Amino acid sequence: MQHYFLNYPLQVGQIIELPNDVSHHWNGVMRAEWGSKAEFVSNQEIVYVGELVDEATPTIKITDKTNQNVELPVKVTIVCGLPKGSKADLITQKATEMGADRIIFTPTDWAIAKWGSKAPKKIKRLQKNC
């Protein structure tokens, strides 16, 4: 079952319209159809099961709450030198998938990459991907 993270609280019986990035992946890439189910994690770190009720908008209905614990028992922080190119996206994606709590990119003596004035834009994009 697909697993998606939403940045707001959920409750059983609630009907919500999915954010664009989630709907693009679930409907476009995974080809979800009416009645398809997926797991949705609320901003309170609670896992719910949602069923697609309208493909056009796309809208889901929260049908069930699970007792599944989705967080690691410890807080993990990754400190990494500034990566070149799109490697920051890959590092953020994989660290998030593995359950890292924080990711810190820092300039080091040996780092070739310099984010400079691009840093706020990159950080905003990376935070959206988490």
Side-chain angles (χ1 to χ4, degrees):
M1 190 176 300
Q2 291 296 310
H3 199 84
Y4 298 100
F5 295 89
L6 302 176
N7 291 327
Y8 39 84
L10 300 172
Q11 60 186 7
V12 175
Q14 183 179 8
I15 296 176
I16 58 168
E17 187 173 333
L18 293 175
N20 291 337
D21 55 340
V22 173
S23 66
H24 169 73
H25 184 264
W26 197 30
N27 289 15
V29 177
M30 300 305 297
R31 303 189 194 283
E33 298 175 341
W34 182 86
S36 296
K37 293 185 178 185
E39 292 180 338
F40 297 91
V41 181
S42 71
N43 63 349
Q44 299 162 335
E45 301 172 358
I46 301 171
V47 180
Y48 294 87
V49 175
E51 181 177 344
L52 187 62
V53 293
D54 184 5
E55 294 176 54
T57 45
T59 304
I60 62 164
K61 180 177 182 180
I62 303 299
T63 59
D64 192 22
K65 177 180 174 181
T66 67
N67 293 327
Q68 181 179 355
N69 187 3
V70 295
E71 295 299 316
L72 292 174
V74 295
K75 299 290 183 185
V76 176
T77 299
I78 295 176
V79 180
C80 178
L82 294 177
K84 289 173 39 178
S86 63
K87 289 182 183 176
D89 293 320
L90 180 64
I91 292 167
T92 304
Q93 176 190 2
K94 296 305 176 185
T96 302
E97 289 173 1
M98 297 303 293
D101 186 53
R102 291 177 57 198
I103 306 164
I104 300 171
F105 291 108
T106 184
T108 60
D109 291 341
W110 292 92
I112 296 171
K114 306 284 187 239
W115 285 6
S117 63
K118 297 178 187 176
K121 185 178 176 182
K122 283 189 178 220
I123 291 169
K124 184 178 179 182
R125 187 182 76 244
L126 292 173
Q127 286 176 334
K128 182 180 176 235
N129 294 339
C130 288

